[in-house]
Every structure is written in C-alpha cells, then in structure tokens.
Amino acid sequence: MDILPLEDLLNTILCDLKRSVREYTTATTESNCPSIRQLFTEVTNSTLKLQGDLYQLMSQNNMYTAPTPAPRTEVSKQLQSAQQTIQKAQQFVQQRVANTNTSYQPQSNVSSQQSNYM
C-alpha cells in the first residue's frame, strides 16, 4: 500500500484549508441571515488559525518554502489600488442610497383611463 509522504500529505491538507477559507468567506459574504453569517465568520477564523498553525509547523520543519517576498513598492501600489477601489465603491453605494432615499416615488403601472369593461 502506497502512502503519501508526510510532507505531501500535509501540503494537501494545507491547500484544502486554504480552499475551505475561500469557500467559507464566500458563504459569509453571501449570507443574509445574521446568525448564519456569524457562524461562517467563526468557522472562517477557526480555519484560518488552523491553516496558520499548520503552515508554521511545516515551515519550522522545512516542509514548506514561502514565496519570495514581494517588493515593497509593488505591495504599496497594490494596496493603494485596493484602497481606491474601496473608496469608489463606498462613494457609489452612498450615492445610490442617497438617490434612493430622496428621489424614490413609486409609480403605478395602471393607466389613468377607465376600463371599458362592465
């Protein structure tokens, strides 16, 4: 019986934990029920902790090589771009909410003419 080497097995588990975090995050953001949203937030945080602990264990035992560090300028550029995107999204939402609150007037689909039915 062939069994995966420990390093390969742990790497598979680590990858699965990362995938699970993505799935839980998606479930959290798409949930409209506060208690379910809280539950997925807690599961996400727990899975992130487990993933971090496993990564540390693998790293300490030379079973995982971290990617090379990104240049600080590239990180700063990506961060600035993300902050601008967030700011634009917040402005968009605020404008839509303001427009909805001030200019919403329900319109009837019923014609003002009387029907010919009797």
Side-chain angles (χ1 to χ4, degrees):
M1 180 174 171
D2 288 17
I3 298 179
L4 285 175
L6 182 60
E7 184 175 345
D8 291 342
L9 183 60
L10 292 176
N11 211 358
T12 300
I13 294 169
L14 186 67
C15 288
D16 196 41
L17 288 169
K18 290 187 222 179
R19 181 196 53 79
S20 295
V21 166
R22 285 191 301 272
E23 297 297 328
Y24 293 148
T25 301
T26 299
T28 302
T29 59
E30 292 183 2
S31 175
N32 66 355
C33 174
S35 60
I36 297 297
R37 188 177 180 95
Q38 181 62 37
L39 174 69
F40 275 116
T41 299
E42 291 169 8
V43 171
T44 300
N45 290 337
S46 173
T47 306
L48 280 169
K49 180 168 180 356
L50 184 58
Q51 183 273 333
D53 292 345
L54 180 57
Y55 164 77
Q56 288 298 324
L57 175 75
M58 292 176 69
S59 180
Q60 290 168 357
N61 289 287
N62 297 318
M63 295 179 167
Y64 189 93
T65 305
T68 58
R72 182 170 288 284
T73 55
E74 184 61 28
V75 172
S76 296
K77 188 168 89 174
Q78 292 296 322
L79 178 61
Q80 184 179 16
S81 175
Q83 289 171 334
Q84 288 172 349
T85 301
I86 290 169
Q87 184 178 17
K88 287 178 184 177
Q90 288 172 335
Q91 289 171 348
F92 176 80
V93 170
Q94 288 171 352
Q95 288 172 348
R96 294 295 183 243
V97 168
N99 288 343
T100 300
N101 290 338
T102 60
S103 66
Y104 178 72
Q105 296 178 2
Q107 305 225 346
S108 174
N109 291 333
V110 178
S111 173
S112 61
Q113 300 175 348
Q114 283 191 331
S115 174
N116 290 332
Y117 297 113
M118 282 273 171

